[in-house]
Amino acid sequence: MADKIVILTGAGISAESGLGTFRDEGGLWAKHRIEDVATPEGFARDPALVHGFYNARRVQAAGAVPNPAHAALARLQRDWPGEVVIVTQNVDGLHEKAGATAIHMHGELSGALCFACGHRWTAPPEMSPGEPCPACASPTGRPDIVWFGEMPYHMDEIEDHLLGCDLFAAIGTSGQVYPAAGFVQGAAYAGARTIELNLAESEITGAFEDHRIGPASEVVPAWVAELLD
């Protein structure tokens, strides 16, 4: 039976597609405090600001094109004889654009969520304060994004995959955001081999057995080629 691979991807895999990370200078995130645009409290204080921020991110993501790293993971998922599970912290939808499937632990820019009843629907290009829920008509629509202080989605499913995998890879992650930063320890405890592919060392580089340093568009296709060829 072929090995099961679980791959965690973070913002670094989409950086070369023009989508900035938290730490990029001059990008969307540099113009706002996380507390103002990525917390439930920030949304309660100023929903117009939060909707405007995610409207801009939605436009950015809609115009972004997958890079060779996304394409390589789609190839691995398609051609690997065993199971390849992609778990992503990203909300941009680029894995799907490249032809892969992914578990979105932090939600998706393409989705909307009702604060009142929990109904989900496809987000319009622009959302605004008082966005009505199609299910309950409450004016409490918000981006379907997991904000700081909220529980990530699909954690039971992700934990099952981590405990059952033979190889765990983290690509383009900072190692600063939990629970994702702890995935490597869980996989290693269950006996999986571990590898980190990143532009530079992360906060948790020491937890991995193997490392590949460099741009995702270079190191990820090379790693996938090694696995498949």
Side-chain angles (χ1 to χ4, degrees):
M1 187 175 186
D3 286 355
K4 175 176 179 174
I5 302 172
V6 173
I7 300 167
L8 171 69
T9 65
I13 198 171
S14 294
E16 292 174 83
S17 293
L19 301 180
T21 69
F22 285 124
R23 284 154 285 281
D24 285 344
E25 294 183 12
L28 272 175
W29 284 106
K31 300 171 185 172
H32 299 281
R33 296 191 318 149
I34 287 173
E35 295 85 353
D36 293 335
V37 295
T39 64
E41 295 79 12
F43 185 69
R45 282 194 305 270
D46 194 342
L49 174 68
V50 175
H51 276 305
F53 176 79
Y54 286 96
N55 289 341
R57 290 193 72 193
R58 202 175 290 115
V59 170
Q60 267 193 342
V65 176
N67 64 57
H70 297 105
L73 294 188
R75 178 194 174 206
L76 181 63
Q77 204 171 51
R78 182 182 65 247
D79 294 346
W80 184 249
E83 185 179 7
V84 176
V85 177
I86 298 171
V87 178
T88 188
Q89 297 172 280
N90 299 338
V91 296
D92 52 45
L94 289 180
H95 284 303
E96 287 80 6
K97 281 188 180 180
T101 59
I103 298 171
H104 286 264
M105 62 181 295
H106 289 164
E108 301 181 65
L109 285 168
S110 61
L113 170 68
C114 178
F115 241 141
C117 75
H119 178 70
R120 288 181 166 83
W121 69 98
T122 300
E126 288 199 8
M127 297 183 71
S128 58
E131 192 75 33
C133 171
C136 73
S138 176
T140 49
R142 56 166 275 188
D144 191 11
I145 301 293
V146 175
W147 289 327
F148 288 90
E150 296 181 324
M151 179 62 69
Y153 298 152
H154 313 297
M155 287 306 299
D156 288 343
E157 180 185 1
I158 292 168
E159 182 176 353
D160 286 344
H161 286 306
L162 290 170
L163 293 177
C165 74
D166 302 286
L167 173 62
F168 172 75
I171 301 172
T173 65
S174 67
Q176 295 178 344
V177 179
Y178 285 83
F183 287 177
V184 59
Q185 285 92 347
Y189 179 79
R193 307 185 308 279
T194 59
I195 181 170
E196 181 182 46
L197 301 92
N198 227 335
L199 187 61
E201 290 191 356
S202 73
E203 297 284 324
I204 55 171
T205 290
F208 292 86
E209 299 172 69
D210 195 5
H211 312 87
R212 307 291 169 88
I213 301 296
S217 64
E218 297 175 11
V219 298
V220 176
W223 174 67
V224 168
E226 287 178 25
L227 290 173
L228 292 177
D229 302 336

